Amino acid sequence: MKTFHLARAAAAALFGVALAGAPAHAEIKNHEFQLIQPTVKAGDDRIVTVRLVDKTTGKAVPDAVIFSTRLDMAPDGMQEMATKVTPMPGTEPGTYRFKATFGMAGRWQLSLGAKVQGETGSVENKLVVTAEQ
């Protein structure tokens, strides 16, 4: 009987050590999108690049699944002025590129929603891009 209790105690201790050594995941609230370039030229087929960052480590987060994109002029009070956003391949891990038409100069809001692998919940950010003539 004593051997059984020792074996159970040893198994519990090993389980605790295994949990302590497991890599910790950042919470989803610690992730955010950041604009690489806050301005673009007004016109067709402009590229906007963002980086998804874990704010606790400062590292880029690759392989997120972007499930929501919207680009409109909400910052200038014209949210009905929306344009199509087309995802493009990123140039480096953790960067995400989008092609869009900026029909006029002004402030455009890029709304993004993404799932980060290994995390529950989703990252949602609204970024302001300024289109210049």
Side-chain angles (χ1 to χ4, degrees):
M1 199 66 150
K2 199 175 206 181
T3 306
F4 175 74
H5 290 298
L6 285 175
R8 232 171 88 185
L14 286 173
F15 182 72
V17 169
L19 284 180
H25 289 286
E27 290 188 37
I28 199 70
K29 68 181 181 182
N30 292 331
H31 293 82
E32 72 177 359
F33 284 102
Q34 299 172 345
L35 284 169
I36 301 294
Q37 186 74 31
T39 59
V40 297
K41 289 280 188 192
D44 296 339
D45 298 332
R46 302 300 184 210
I47 302 293
V48 176
T49 305
V50 298
R51 179 180 296 121
L52 180 57
V53 176
D54 177 340
K55 296 186 292 185
T56 58
T57 64
K59 293 183 179 179
V61 179
D63 304 322
V65 177
I66 309 293
F67 65 84
S68 175
T69 57
R70 178 174 168 85
L71 184 63
D72 60 42
M73 290 194 78
D76 285 345
M78 296 182 283
Q79 55 272 15
E80 68 280 353
M81 179 90 165
T83 189
K84 181 180 172 187
V85 179
T86 305
M88 305 291 291
T91 55
E92 56 188 72
T95 62
Y96 304 86
R97 297 174 0 126
F98 306 95
K99 180 169 64 171
T101 296
F102 290 83
M104 61 186 290
R107 293 178 301 154
W108 292 77
Q109 179 174 278
L110 177 61
S111 301
L112 298 170
K115 293 283 188 183
V116 175
Q117 294 191 18
E119 301 294 334
T120 56
S122 58
V123 178
E124 295 181 21
N125 286 129
K126 296 179 185 310
L127 306 169
V128 177
V129 180
T130 303
E132 300 174 336
Q133 289 293 350

